[in-house]
Amino acid sequence: MLRKILVLICVSCFLLTAAGPAAAYTTAKVQETPTVSADSTVALGTLLLKEEYANSIKTGDWVTISLPSFVELQQLRLYFPGGSSYWPSVTDATYPVDYTVYRIGDEIPLGSSGVTLWKEGLSTFSLKVAKINRKSATSTFRCYIYFDQVYIKALPPEESGKINVTIDAPPSSGFSSGTVTVANVSIGGSTATAASPESLTDLGGEVANITLKENVPGALKMNGTDFRKQDTVKFVLSPGFTWQTVVLLPSWGWQSGDIDYAIGEDASGRSVLYLQIKKETTKDTGVGRVVISGTVSVDESIARPGNVQVSYEGNNPGVDPALLTVAEYSTAGAAVNGKTATDVVAGHSNQRIGEFTVTEGMAGDLARGRTITLTLPEGVKWNTYPTVKREAGNGELSGPIPVGDDRQTVKFTVIRSGTEKTAFCFKYATVDLALDAPEQVDITVGGSAGARGTVTVAYVQPPVAVVAEKTTVRIGVPNQPGGKLTITENMPGAVRARDASGATAFLRLELPEGVTFAQKPVVEVNTGDLVLDKTNIRLEQGDRVLVIPVKTSSVSPVSKPIEESAAQSEGSPTGEAEEKSASSTEGGVTGSGTETSSGTETQGSTITVSGIVLTVDRTVPEGAVNLKVSGSALSETERIFSSTLNELKVPLATCDTPAPDQIRVAAVFTIGSKMYQAGGTEREMDVEPYVKNGRTYAPVRYLALAAGLSDENILWDGANQTVTLLGGKRVVQFRVGQKSYLLQGVPISMDVAPEIVNGRTMLPYRFVAQALGLQAEWNASARQVIIR
């Protein structure tokens, strides 16, 4: 019985599988895919609907053809090839459909094909099989749909630039669903491309061929005889390279004589190849194409090794700008280039620095037996020498070998000269840094091999930021109040509790000769979890040195909103009291802290030294009273570097003799106004002061002029982006983009960098006033900066 049931089940399965028509299987193909332009009436590619297996399509089957909404159908043509292999049985059946004369919902019989077209919208129609018209049981259905005339409206921003036909059919239909692209849409323009870059030396030579193609006919407009000025089409070379010979090979819609050229220079002196479009292409000719081959000469004094680029540009409506690499320029010798740069901490040892490369300009430039030397700046010494990895070519180096006993220079020797252009990468090096290390670690590359250059491999952050409030002291006067000193860790643990031997570490604050502490200041930890040994804080060396032992280093970071930090140090609408307190700050050695993605700065603990009372004897010269901040709590390299390199200098006060009534108002600047007052006279600037991130920026030049400096004492170095102020005995230098300035050659950190606005160097006014020894105030209600 069970066997009979199984047999019945199997028979039933066979009957279900075999019954009914074959599964739907038609394919849709496009004969061509033209590029068309928006806002035009064009023809699209021809669509072929093909039945792969006879009898797939049956009476009553539907298929819907839809184009995008930005396409409007105007004229269609449907063709059903006849013959023994195809349905219908008629020899040829071509049916034009003037789509515009029918209304939505109209049915249009397509002659004896047995197919009816139903208009559903401006861009949609359906085909319905009204009757089967096969000549034989093996005949298959074929239908060519010619989109002879369609209107392309403006292409919506979200569209991809393709015109896709969507084919949709019910599951029971013999037609298959799918999508096929029948045209590409271009808004016009042209495309410029370059072949693989050629190799150039100082002798010049060929550059890669450039191919210029129109995206649509007539894209590049005829520019006539004045083609260097009107409707320009031009190819501009990199500085130092000049077009020499040029050959144009026009094709497609352009013929010989349709395109000409001229060579000239633009306003910057760069060499330009201008194209003259003498004849515009049309729909009949098709798009134009021209191949440009050429040679260039080289000016060694200007050209730089590396990629030689051509900028395709111009004001012809058909120009789509592009930047093309046409050659690689190599010179004899070796180039030095940085790859990475790390952040390191001053006063710390064994700090990892970044990588850099030395690359031959030509194979064999690094000759066998020649040397490459790497020299660190003062305040930095090698701890672990660089490892060399060859990145290209087949040259070989040996080393490193130290040069001298100061651990600042190492030497590598070329033991095999390369027959291929060789590049060496120097990596995995570490260094020891003095507390007063430079702001960045620059390695100077030299030696007999001819490699020359300087490369930045690290940026140095001081362990602490030290800021002193502005105060003025008089020569020969005892017990004069000094401003508060603030020491902020730039990261937790920056102030150490133990030195290299394990003994208690300490901070050391030293006054210059002739200046003493009249009493022991008050030392407190204001924020963070740093713990000081307060019972052993003491004065030493005739009360010139304040020693602060550290009990426990900080661990937890302290976060402060950036806005609050900015408001407390510069003019801002947050309050006048905060601004006046900040603007009384004279100077300091600062650091940036660590900024988080939530808009806060992360730092370590903060120490304040208040209740400072100074005695100044008559031997002290006029000028800045610099406090030296040092100690084993800040530096673990005290035994490696001299004491002068292991201390931070902070202007604590200004030693002066003028009477108080000699102080005068130097200048008043108003936010948003180009007018300022200096010595009671109103003057005009060419840039306005402004507030940015809670900081009040003013032009450095006009601040200096208001302080009494002449134009001759305000020097601008455009090449190095620096402004130097010569104010009496003070020499101050600011560099655009650098968060420090030089005062008498001593770097003083800032927490922002100068920037250029409308050709003027702008900086928060406090730093300029500080550098020139002036007082600065912020009047919040009047939104004015007052420099005294």
Side-chain angles (χ1 to χ4, degrees):
M1 183 68 181
L2 177 62
R3 181 174 298 176
K4 290 182 179 179
I5 294 173
L6 291 174
V7 169
L8 288 173
I9 293 173
C10 292
V11 171
S12 300
C13 291
F14 174 79
L15 292 174
L16 288 171
T17 303
Y25 193 75
T26 57
T27 58
K29 296 182 179 180
V30 65
Q31 303 296 94
E32 66 280 327
T33 309
T35 298
V36 297
S37 58
D39 192 23
S40 62
T41 301
V42 297
L44 306 179
T46 301
L47 178 66
L48 168 63
L49 299 180
K50 183 174 66 171
E51 184 185 34
E52 294 294 334
Y53 301 104
N55 301 310
S56 296
I57 296 174
K58 56 192 181 298
T59 300
D61 280 353
W62 285 81
V63 62
T64 300
I65 312 295
S66 300
L67 283 91
S69 60
F70 60 85
V71 178
E72 292 184 1
L73 294 167
Q74 294 181 350
Q75 184 71 48
L76 295 174
R77 184 163 41 99
L78 289 87
Y79 168 59
F80 301 89
S84 59
S85 301
Y86 303 125
W87 169 48
S89 59
V90 294
T91 304
D92 282 311
T94 301
Y95 304 100
V97 177
D98 189 350
Y99 204 74
T100 59
V101 304
Y102 294 96
R103 295 173 301 178
I104 294 175
D106 285 353
E107 293 189 29
I108 308 161
L110 301 178
S112 61
S113 67
V115 177
T116 298
L117 185 149
W118 183 33
K119 181 175 179 178
E120 295 187 15
L122 296 178
S123 56
T124 304
F125 62 89
S126 290
L127 299 178
K128 180 181 179 181
V129 179
K131 65 176 182 178
I132 300 297
N133 195 11
R134 301 181 189 276
K135 189 170 184 179
S136 68
T138 59
S139 297
T140 56
F141 175 87
R142 298 285 191 276
C143 177
Y144 290 88
I145 302 175
Y146 298 90
F147 301 97
D148 286 338
Q149 190 172 301
V150 302
Y151 174 63
I152 311 295
K153 296 185 286 188
L155 188 67
E158 65 273 10
E159 296 295 340
S160 64
K162 296 180 180 296
I163 297 180
N164 293 326
V165 168
T166 300
I167 304 165
D168 195 15
S172 60
S173 173
F175 292 98
S176 300
S177 299
T179 302
V180 63
T181 300
V182 293
N184 297 309
V185 181
S186 171
I187 59 173
S190 56
T191 302
T193 57
S196 299
E198 300 287 347
S199 296
L200 280 182
T201 67
D202 56 347
L203 300 177
E206 294 183 354
V207 295
N209 284 354
I210 298 172
T211 301
L212 174 62
K213 296 187 296 184
E214 293 180 302
N215 295 329
V216 293
L220 290 171
K221 305 303 179 184
M222 189 167 63
N223 48 19
T225 57
D226 201 16
F227 64 95
R228 295 190 189 205
K229 296 180 180 179
Q230 294 182 351
D231 289 331
T232 54
V233 180
K234 55 185 180 179
F235 294 87
V236 186
L237 272 167
S238 299
F241 301 90
T242 302
W243 289 107
Q244 291 294 302
T245 62
V246 174
V247 176
L248 303 181
L249 300 174
S251 60
W252 296 5
W254 280 322
Q255 298 180 2
S256 178
D258 291 347
I259 307 289
D260 204 350
Y261 75 91
I263 296 173
E265 287 188 355
D266 64 8
S268 67
R270 295 190 301 169
S271 181
V272 181
L273 170 65
Y274 295 91
L275 292 189
Q276 182 182 18
I277 311 298
K278 293 184 174 181
K279 184 177 180 181
E280 293 181 18
T281 56
T282 65
K283 292 181 180 179
D284 294 333
T285 63
V287 296
R289 175 178 180 269
V290 60
V291 177
I292 305 168
S293 61
T295 62
V296 300
S297 61
V298 180
D299 184 345
E300 296 177 74
S301 65
I302 300 175
R304 294 291 178 264
N307 289 338
V308 180
Q309 295 182 316
V310 167
S311 175
Y312 174 50
E313 55 191 70
N315 54 29
N316 193 297
V319 170
D320 289 334
L323 189 63
L324 314 174
T325 299
V326 295
E328 182 182 358
Y329 174 54
S330 301
T331 59
V336 180
N337 295 293
K339 292 188 68 176
T340 60
T342 62
D343 292 321
V344 295
V345 181
H348 285 218
S349 62
N350 202 30
Q351 299 279 285
R352 173 65 62 86
I353 59 175
E355 304 174 3
F356 65 97
T357 59
V358 174
T359 305
E360 289 183 310
M362 300 180 184
D365 280 344
L366 297 176
R368 184 175 180 274
R370 300 295 180 88
T371 60
I372 298 174
T373 59
L374 311 178
T375 302
L376 292 169
E378 187 178 16
V380 187
K381 295 181 182 290
W382 293 108
N383 184 296
T384 304
Y385 296 135
T387 298
V388 179
K389 180 181 179 181
R390 187 174 59 221
E391 293 188 335
N394 55 4
E396 190 172 346
L397 297 180
S398 68
I401 299 174
V403 177
D405 299 327
D406 59 3
R407 286 174 44 203
Q408 283 188 272
T409 302
V410 294
K411 177 179 67 176
F412 295 83
T413 302
V414 181
I415 59 176
R416 182 173 66 185
S417 183
T419 57
E420 302 172 1
K421 182 177 174 180
T422 302
F424 297 106
C425 180
F426 296 80
K427 57 199 319 183
Y428 306 135
T430 64
V431 296
D432 300 331
L433 298 108
L435 185 60
D436 192 25
E439 293 181 343
Q440 59 190 42
V441 178
D442 292 336
I443 294 178
T444 301
V445 181
S448 60
R452 294 285 187 274
T454 300
V455 61
T456 300
V457 292
Y459 298 99
V460 182
Q461 183 178 16
V464 294
V466 187
V467 177
E469 289 184 352
K470 180 180 177 65
T471 186
T472 301
V473 295
R474 304 284 301 280
I475 295 173
V477 179
N479 301 325
Q480 301 179 74
K484 183 172 68 174
L485 185 74
T486 303
I487 303 173
T488 304
E489 294 182 301
N490 285 330
M491 69 288 291
V495 176
R496 303 188 304 158
R498 294 288 181 269
D499 63 15
S501 67
T504 299
F506 56 86
L507 291 168
R508 177 185 171 92
L509 311 182
E510 181 179 346
L511 292 169
E513 293 287 344
V515 184
T516 59
F517 291 104
Q519 63 184 36
K520 185 169 72 173
V522 177
V523 183
E524 300 284 351
V525 176
N526 288 76
T527 60
D529 51 8
L530 176 73
V531 179
L532 303 177
D533 183 3
K534 298 181 69 174
T535 58
N536 287 310
I537 295 175
R538 59 192 182 273
L539 293 173
E540 293 182 350
Q541 294 190 15
D543 295 340
R544 282 200 310 112
V545 177
L546 176 65
V547 178
I548 307 173
V550 181
K551 196 170 186 178
T552 306
S553 296
S554 65
V555 176
S556 303
V558 177
S559 297
K560 178 187 292 186
I562 295 175
E563 293 79 5
E564 177 185 339
S565 174
Q568 290 179 351
S569 58
E570 287 299 342
S572 76
T574 58
E576 182 178 359
E578 290 89 343
E579 170 55 32
K580 286 186 177 180
S581 172
S583 65
S584 65
T585 301
E586 174 168 18
V589 180
T590 64
S592 60
T594 302
E595 184 176 341
T596 68
S597 59
S598 61
T600 60
E601 283 186 351
T602 300
Q603 57 191 28
S605 298
T606 299
I607 304 169
T608 59
V609 182
S610 58
I612 297 175
V613 181
L614 303 176
T615 295
V616 183
D617 68 26
R618 294 187 177 276
T619 64
V620 178
E622 294 181 19
V625 177
N626 290 323
L627 180 73
K628 297 177 182 178
V629 182
S630 62
S632 56
L634 296 181
S635 176
E636 58 187 16
T637 60
E638 286 186 305
R639 297 184 179 181
I640 299 175
F641 298 95
S642 65
S643 60
T644 57
L645 288 173
N646 260 308
E647 58 192 20
L648 303 176
K649 297 179 179 67
V650 184
L652 181 63
T654 299
C655 189
D656 206 357
T657 55
D661 59 4
Q662 290 180 297
I663 298 175
R664 62 183 178 88
V665 174
V668 178
F669 295 82
T670 303
I671 300 303
S673 173
K674 290 185 178 180
M675 305 305 296
Y676 73 103
Q677 295 180 1
T681 302
E682 190 173 59
R683 303 176 184 177
E684 186 175 6
M685 305 176 288
D686 53 8
V687 65
E688 300 174 357
Y690 55 87
V691 175
K692 177 180 178 182
N693 296 328
R695 301 300 182 88
T696 305
Y697 285 71
V700 174
R701 170 171 289 275
Y702 291 104
L703 285 169
L705 289 172
L709 274 67
S710 62
D711 281 321
E712 292 77 14
N713 291 329
I714 305 171
L715 309 177
W716 169 250
D717 182 352
N720 294 308
Q721 297 278 283
T722 59
V723 57
T724 303
L725 308 180
L726 307 176
K729 297 180 180 179
R730 289 174 179 257
V731 178
V732 182
Q733 188 174 82
F734 296 96
R735 172 176 282 183
V736 174
Q738 186 163 304
K739 291 185 177 181
S740 69
Y741 66 89
L742 295 179
L743 176 60
Q744 308 296 88
V746 177
I748 307 296
S749 295
M750 303 181 291
D751 52 3
V752 296
E755 59 188 30
I756 293 180
V757 175
N758 294 333
R760 291 296 181 194
T761 305
M762 308 293 287
L763 189 68
Y765 66 87
R766 175 170 66 85
F767 296 113
V768 181
Q770 166 187 301
L772 294 174
L774 305 174
Q775 295 181 9
E777 296 178 6
W778 165 252
N779 186 331
S781 60
R783 293 178 65 78
Q784 288 182 332
V785 176
I786 304 170
I787 308 295
R788 302 183 186 277

